[in-house]
Structures are given as C-alpha cells and as structure tokens.
Amino acid sequence: MEIISQEKISSFKKFMEDHESFIIAGHKEPDGDCISSCMGLSYIAEFFHKPYIMINAGPFKRSEIKKYADLFTPTLPFINQQERKECGLIITDCSEIQRLGEIEGDLEELDTFIIDHHKTAEVQGENTIIDPTSPAACLLVQQLIEALSGKLTKEQADTLFFGMATDTGYFRFLTENSKEVFLQTSRLVEAGANPRAVYQDITGGKPWSTRKLLGIMLERAERHAEGKLVVTYETMEDTRKYGSEGRDSDSLYSLMLAVEGVEAVAFVRQDTEHTCTLGLRSRDKCDVSAIAAKFGGGGHKNASGASTEGRIETLLPVLIKEFMKVL
C-alpha cells in the first residue's frame, strides 16, 4: 500500500477549500468500505465547516450496514445554477458516476473528486486519488483525515476500522506487502476502535433464511476447469422465497475457496427477467477483475463483480468459457 503524496493531499485540501458544500457518494449496493469511506469524508467536511449530504442508491442489503441507511439519501435536492458551481461532488470506492446507480437528480458536470482503490479504475488527473495497492478506500480516507485534521477521534476510528475490516475479510485478503495497512490499523486501535466489537458486527446478526439459501447454493455448486473453478447461482424464485436482506455471499466464497484445488468461484444471481449480478472471487493468481470487465464490471484482482444483461442459463456457459482461458 502506498502513502498518499503531499501533492495529492494538497489537491484534495484545495478542493475542500474551493467549494461551499459537498455531495458525498458511493456505489450502489454499498458494502462496509463504501459506507465507511463516505462517513470518513463527512468527518472531513465537518472539519472544514462545510455542509454536505451523503447519497447512495442502495439497497442496504447487508446486515452489518443496515443501521447506516438513514444517513444516506437516494435523492439529490434541487440546487440552482449558482449552487451547482459552488458544490463539489466526492465519489469514493468507485470511479464512475454510472456505478452510483439510480440517483434521483443530476450529478453530471459537478466539479468532482474521486477516491478509489479498485484495479479497474481508469480515471486520472489532479482531482483523483487512485491506489489499487490499497485494500480499502477507507484507508485512503484515513490518511486524508490524519493529514488534514490530525489525531483521530474514537468515532472516526470505529468507522474506519469497520470499513477496513470488511474489505480485507478481517485481514484474510492481505498480501505480504501489508506493513502500512497494519500501521494504520494500529492507529485506529490506539484511537479507541474495538476490534472484537467490529468483528461481531460483521459476522453476527445474519437472518436464518441466509443459512437456508447458503445450503441451496452449495447443493447447486459445480466444478469446472479440472476442479479449479466452482460455479453456482440464485434464481428469482430463490430471492422471493428467502429474501434479499442480509445475504451472506462471503461465507459461500470462503467455503468454496477452501476446497482443495479450487482457485476461483463464480456466482450468478438473476435479478430481473433480463439482468443478472455476477460475483467473482479467486485465491492468488487468477485476476477476476479482468473477467468482470468483460461483463461491464470490475473490482479487485481477487474480488470483483458486475451487473449485466442476460439470464443464468446463457451467462453461465459464457462465464465458464472466460475462466477456462485463464485457469
């Protein structure tokens, strides 16, 4: 993980100083890192005594983030032309307005600053902080808070630890080049973050229905590419029967990747009659972000996803074919 340069910190500080108000936005179907990053940026706005709103299209499906839903709105309030000139848009944990989902209101042409850590982020320029070596966007936000406002408060530390823990799988996804991650994490704990409480928030509170659905996913799972790939799927009927709240796909991926010889997992969920969500995970060498990009998605080397047109029965063979090229 790289340290944000003083030049980038100065660019972000100037962006904060040059605008009178802010819209802080994260990607649709937010996860813990998205929520934590947005909240971290709200602390910076408060430090600069600038008004802000946090927007997110949702839905807030994950059990660990439900309690944060009321902090966000999917609707952009009306702002006149002068207010648009004075308002800054900060996008975090993704790099494209399209990834924000269906936000009610016009975000186009707002002066924008992007903070992201995904490998597939392609934007560049003065108003960007993009670091694919960072395992979580909130770790970038943490550096900005520390650089601009100094020592972290307990509330800030709790928020940032939560985001870091969710995106690193509570440190399970880190590589050997993780010294800076642990140094930053130690500062969060020093400021009052409670690792045990965060772990319980992440792993507990799952609905009983998610255990039943997990069993179905495991029953359907099939191996391909000489056992290196596992694929499974969820139908619209499954979603109607077991609901979409609090789903625990992380457990599915962990169980499958723990199987001897398995290098990658692909999950397909039929969202509507004509669209699907893809969830892709891998162990070490397989770059699932490159495969996700072929379906209009992206993410990390070992954890990516996409929303795409199609049906399970037609997408699965195409998806398997793409994996066969690299496994």
Side-chain angles (χ1 to χ4, degrees):
M1 175 179 171
E2 300 175 0
I3 304 298
I4 300 175
S5 69
Q6 187 57 53
E7 180 183 8
K8 286 293 185 180
I9 291 173
S10 297
S11 293
F12 182 75
K13 181 181 179 182
K14 184 176 185 300
F15 186 83
M16 297 299 299
E17 293 173 337
D18 286 350
H19 297 84
E20 296 302 314
S21 62
F22 294 93
I23 298 166
I24 301 170
H27 59 76
K28 64 180 181 179
E29 296 196 19
D31 54 12
D33 184 31
C34 178
I35 297 298
S36 175
S37 300
C38 288
M39 292 177 64
L41 289 165
S42 77
Y43 299 144
I44 296 177
E46 290 171 357
F47 174 76
F48 280 91
H49 304 289
K50 302 289 181 77
Y52 66 88
I53 61 169
M54 294 191 292
I55 61 173
N56 195 286
F60 290 73
K61 294 180 180 179
R62 300 169 183 258
S63 58
E64 68 269 20
I65 66 168
K66 283 184 179 180
K67 61 184 178 182
Y68 300 108
D70 290 343
L71 299 177
F72 295 80
T73 174
T75 303
L76 181 67
F78 173 78
I79 51 178
N80 60 41
Q81 195 60 36
Q82 182 59 35
E83 290 171 331
R84 290 183 69 85
K85 292 179 180 179
E86 298 173 346
C87 181
L89 170 64
I90 308 177
I91 298 176
T92 186
D93 203 30
C94 69
S95 56
E96 307 89 10
I97 285 183
Q98 293 82 356
R99 284 278 287 123
L100 301 183
E102 296 181 2
I103 299 294
E104 294 183 25
D106 183 15
L107 294 173
E108 298 288 346
E109 298 182 4
L110 285 172
D111 195 13
T112 304
F113 201 106
I114 293 173
I115 300 171
D116 193 14
H117 71 125
H118 292 100
K119 184 179 179 181
T120 49
E122 297 180 351
V123 293
Q124 298 180 24
E126 183 180 16
N127 285 1
T128 62
I129 295 176
I130 309 291
D131 180 12
T133 69
S134 176
C138 65
L139 288 168
L140 302 175
V141 175
Q142 178 186 344
Q143 291 184 52
L144 291 173
I145 294 174
E146 291 174 322
L148 297 173
S149 63
K151 190 174 181 179
L152 297 159
T153 66
K154 183 184 186 319
E155 178 186 7
Q156 293 169 347
D158 283 334
T159 298
L160 295 167
F161 193 104
F162 172 73
M164 178 279 303
T166 54
D167 241 32
T168 65
Y170 217 90
F171 305 108
R172 289 179 295 123
F173 306 146
L174 296 180
T175 65
E176 65 276 10
N177 301 314
S178 301
K179 175 182 176 180
E180 185 57 37
V181 176
F182 283 99
L183 287 173
Q184 285 195 209
T185 302
S186 70
R187 297 198 295 272
L188 297 177
V189 176
E190 182 181 14
N194 186 330
R196 180 180 180 181
V198 171
Y199 182 79
Q200 290 173 337
D201 280 346
I202 295 172
T203 59
K206 307 296 183 186
W208 173 249
S209 60
T210 65
R211 308 299 98 175
K212 303 291 286 184
L213 182 59
L214 179 59
I216 292 174
M217 301 300 98
L218 294 173
E219 177 66 26
R220 288 181 183 151
E222 295 183 350
R223 299 179 73 174
H224 298 268
E226 299 180 344
K228 297 177 184 178
L229 171 67
V230 174
V231 298
T232 189
Y233 60 91
E234 176 184 334
T235 67
M236 292 175 64
E237 179 58 32
D238 296 329
T239 306
R240 283 192 289 267
K241 183 175 182 179
Y242 296 103
S244 60
E245 301 300 316
R247 59 178 62 255
D248 193 16
S249 54
D250 288 343
S251 292
L252 173 67
Y253 298 132
S254 295
L255 286 169
M256 293 295 92
L257 288 173
V259 175
E260 182 180 9
V262 172
E263 297 181 13
V265 178
F267 168 72
V268 180
R269 182 179 70 241
Q270 191 80 50
D271 293 319
T272 71
E273 290 292 342
H274 305 290
T275 62
C276 288
T277 293
L278 311 182
L280 313 178
R281 299 293 187 273
S282 64
R283 290 179 61 84
D284 299 312
K285 297 179 180 179
C286 181
D287 184 356
V288 292
S289 69
I291 295 176
K294 295 179 182 293
F295 296 88
H300 308 287
K301 176 183 177 182
N302 301 123
S304 292
S307 296
T308 187
E309 294 184 356
R311 295 188 56 80
I312 291 172
E313 56 267 28
T314 54
L315 280 173
L316 273 179
V318 177
L319 192 57
I320 292 169
K321 184 177 180 180
E322 291 297 331
F323 271 101
M324 293 286 284
K325 297 176 181 178
V326 296
L327 292 176

